[in-house]
């Protein structure tokens, strides 16, 4: 990893940690989030995965306007470190612990890889 890649990764981790802390307090069923990135195609390659505990909680969340709040929070935090994305929604995905357990026996490395 190049020095500039490491700097970007550290900024992303800090920003996404802040988002995660807010979401844990405010969103029922939210568990954690992570990101995937190809630094040679940054920021276009940035993918943020928001993980919920169950499919039911994710479905309930997605049926409200709260999704827009989390999307806006992510976008605001990223802009704060100079990361501007054309359509932030294209960079956010949702998943559940329940689906990972069922489809990948809880192995997130395989699921995300």
């Amino acid at each position: 990893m190049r020095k500039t890649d490491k700097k970007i990764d550290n900024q992303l981790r800090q920003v996404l940690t802040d988002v995660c802390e807010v979401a844990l307090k405010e969103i029922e069923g939210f568990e954690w989030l992570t990101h995937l990135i190809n630094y040679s195609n940054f920021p276009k390659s940035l993918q943020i995965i928001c993980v919920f505990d169950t499919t039911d909680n994710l479905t309930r969340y997605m049926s409200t306007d709260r999704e827009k709040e989390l999307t806006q929070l992510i976008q605001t935090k990223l802009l704060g470190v100079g990361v501007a994305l054309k359509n932030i929604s294209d960079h956010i995905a949702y998943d559940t612990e329940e689906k990972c357990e069922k489809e990948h026996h809880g192995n997130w490395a395989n699921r995300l890889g």
Side-chain angles (χ1 to χ4, degrees):
M1 184 181 288
R2 297 176 311 185
K3 190 175 181 178
T4 55
D5 297 343
K6 192 169 186 101
K7 181 180 176 186
I8 291 167
D9 193 60
N10 286 337
Q11 288 177 324
L12 288 174
R13 278 191 285 112
Q14 181 58 52
V15 162
L16 295 176
T17 296
D18 293 347
V19 169
C20 188
E21 288 173 2
V22 171
L24 282 168
K25 292 176 190 170
E26 297 183 6
I27 301 172
E28 183 179 348
F30 179 86
E31 293 279 317
W32 54 281
L33 59 77
T34 191
H35 69 286
L36 304 172
I37 190 166
N38 174 349
Y39 290 100
S40 65
N41 193 20
F42 178 79
K44 289 181 181 181
S45 66
L46 178 62
Q47 188 69 32
I48 299 165
I49 300 96
C50 300
V51 180
F52 283 70
D53 53 359
T54 65
T55 303
D56 286 345
N57 278 334
L58 176 57
T59 300
R60 270 193 294 280
Y61 172 74
M62 297 299 283
S63 68
T64 68
D65 283 339
R66 304 276 334 257
E67 176 194 3
K68 293 176 187 172
E69 292 174 23
L70 184 56
T71 300
Q72 184 63 43
L73 178 62
I74 292 169
Q75 185 169 34
T76 299
K77 292 287 189 176
L78 288 174
L79 285 171
V81 293
V83 178
L85 300 168
K86 253 185 194 172
N87 186 355
I88 186 72
S89 296
D90 291 345
H91 297 269
I92 301 173
Y94 295 90
D95 206 342
T96 68
E97 290 280 359
E98 184 178 58
K99 282 185 180 179
C100 181
E101 186 62 39
K102 185 185 289 183
E103 297 170 8
H104 291 90
H105 306 290
N107 187 329
W108 279 99
N110 283 346
R111 187 165 183 84
L112 297 175

